[in-house]
Amino acid sequence: LIHYFYIYSRCISSLSMEMETTLPNITINNDASADGTVITTTMYKYYCHDVLTHNLQLLSHQLPPDAPCRFLNSKGKGGKKRQLADATVTIPSQPNHDPKCDRITIQYPGGATYNLRKSFLYPILQQDKQIIVSPETDFYRRLCWVHTRPDDNFIEIGCDFGFTVGPVVCQYKLGIDKSKVSIDIAKNNYPNIEFLQVNVLENTREEMMNILNDRGVVVVGGGQGRGRASLVVAIDINGNRELEAVESCLTKVLECWMPRLVIVKSRSLYSKLIDLGM
């Protein structure tokens, strides 16, 4: 397990930088240093989706043999758009792999192998306390489907008609939207999924906590329920929404729910990360 997380740390270490105070985050005051100065660190790390994905693909040959990955199917006849495959694969040990090679050997659950283009491979992010930002819907949805694990709980804020939350494979999932019309359509599209009509931007802290508590999603520690440690939150309150609204929503999610992973679709926040060199 230690080796597993070490490899993922290496995969994204080149992307890390000191978090800017202008980005929503949770601050931790560590023990004072020898001179009495309190050392402050931030809990969450931000990544642009394309840079993170490329880095994971680039170092995929260094992943441990049990690291789960998703991948894209080939286009097929007629130039059909590539779709995310249902299968979860692993990367068998490849000590002689040339890092410059654009293909990587994957292994299916049944044992069969295939040489896949690295650009089609999506290693599942295992580190906690990460925030991934994408500017476009296609990438955003793929991030949600790839990086939400089967033992996770998944909540999408701004679920619209349910097309993102619907295909997510996880323990429990909830779609939230402020529009009654959208929620009614989402319920019709996915009758077996729970949807909630609420404007998160107007919620109090207590109301935010109740969204989890009423559904048995534990916020602090373990205990009975679905567990805080495995919560993934996706935020899509319109890709062109003003940055202030996106950051306000993100702040509430971090402070009230403390998910292991947050995936955000926002052109304005993505542009801000680019400007910060992230």
Side-chain angles (χ1 to χ4, degrees):
L1 182 61
I2 294 176
H3 176 67
Y4 191 80
F5 283 100
Y6 171 72
I7 291 295
Y8 273 93
S9 296
R10 288 195 60 192
C11 285
I12 64 177
S13 61
S14 64
L15 308 178
S16 301
M17 64 173 290
E18 201 66 33
M19 289 296 100
E20 299 284 338
T21 56
T22 55
L23 290 172
N25 216 314
I26 295 179
T27 302
I28 303 173
N29 292 328
N30 298 318
D31 295 337
S33 59
D35 61 359
T37 303
V38 176
I39 302 174
T40 300
T41 58
T42 49
M43 182 178 293
Y44 285 85
K45 294 181 179 179
Y46 283 79
Y47 302 101
C48 290
H49 78 99
D50 44 351
V51 181
L52 174 64
T53 299
H54 175 73
N55 223 43
L56 289 171
Q57 292 169 341
L58 188 66
L59 298 178
S60 57
H61 63 285
Q62 297 183 13
L63 293 174
D66 58 346
C69 303
R70 300 290 298 276
F71 65 98
L72 297 181
N73 288 317
S74 59
K75 283 187 176 182
K77 296 181 179 180
K80 183 180 178 181
K81 186 177 180 181
R82 294 185 181 91
Q83 300 292 330
L84 190 66
D86 293 333
T88 298
V89 297
T90 55
I91 309 297
S93 179
Q94 299 170 58
N96 299 320
H97 177 78
D98 182 1
K100 297 180 180 179
C101 180
D102 68 345
R103 289 184 176 270
I104 188 80
T105 300
I106 62 173
Q107 186 169 30
Y108 292 91
T113 60
Y114 177 74
N115 287 328
L116 182 77
R117 289 187 183 275
K118 286 183 179 179
S119 59
F120 295 173
L121 182 71
Y122 289 85
I124 299 175
L125 187 63
Q126 298 298 320
Q127 283 195 335
D128 290 344
K129 303 300 181 285
Q130 312 292 316
I131 299 173
I132 311 173
V133 182
S134 172
E136 303 298 337
T137 299
D138 285 352
F139 296 125
Y140 163 79
R141 286 179 175 168
R142 185 179 296 166
L143 290 166
C144 293
W145 300 336
V146 167
H147 296 300
T148 302
R149 304 177 305 213
D151 59 346
D152 281 332
N153 305 309
F154 180 85
I155 298 177
E156 183 182 26
I157 299 174
C159 66
D160 198 28
F161 298 160
F163 295 140
T164 298
V165 64
V168 170
V169 177
C170 62
Q171 178 175 298
Y172 168 78
K173 49 191 174 183
L174 171 68
I176 297 175
D177 203 284
K178 68 177 183 178
S179 168
K180 183 181 184 305
V181 173
S182 293
I183 289 296
D184 288 343
I185 295 175
K187 288 180 177 179
N188 184 63
N189 289 335
Y190 301 96
N192 295 325
I193 298 175
E194 183 178 5
F195 292 95
L196 177 65
Q197 182 194 349
V198 66
N199 187 348
V200 170
L201 293 176
E202 297 178 356
N203 271 15
T204 64
R205 180 181 179 86
E206 181 180 2
E207 289 170 334
M208 289 291 289
M209 299 296 290
N210 286 340
I211 291 176
L212 300 190
N213 294 337
D214 292 348
R215 292 159 179 81
V217 179
V218 181
V219 176
V220 179
Q224 296 180 351
R226 296 184 171 109
R228 174 199 58 79
S230 61
L231 178 61
V232 175
V233 177
I235 300 175
D236 180 12
I237 54 175
N238 295 332
N240 292 320
R241 195 71 173 261
E242 291 184 5
L243 181 61
E244 182 180 358
V246 175
E247 292 188 333
S248 175
C249 181
L250 183 52
T251 297
K252 284 190 176 185
V253 166
L254 297 182
E255 292 180 350
C256 298
W257 294 350
M258 292 183 63
R260 78 162 185 89
L261 173 64
V262 183
I263 302 168
V264 184
K265 192 196 92 173
S266 169
R267 295 192 184 105
S268 56
L269 184 56
Y270 180 84
S271 296
K272 183 174 183 177
L273 297 188
I274 294 296
D275 292 341
L276 291 172
M278 304 172 69

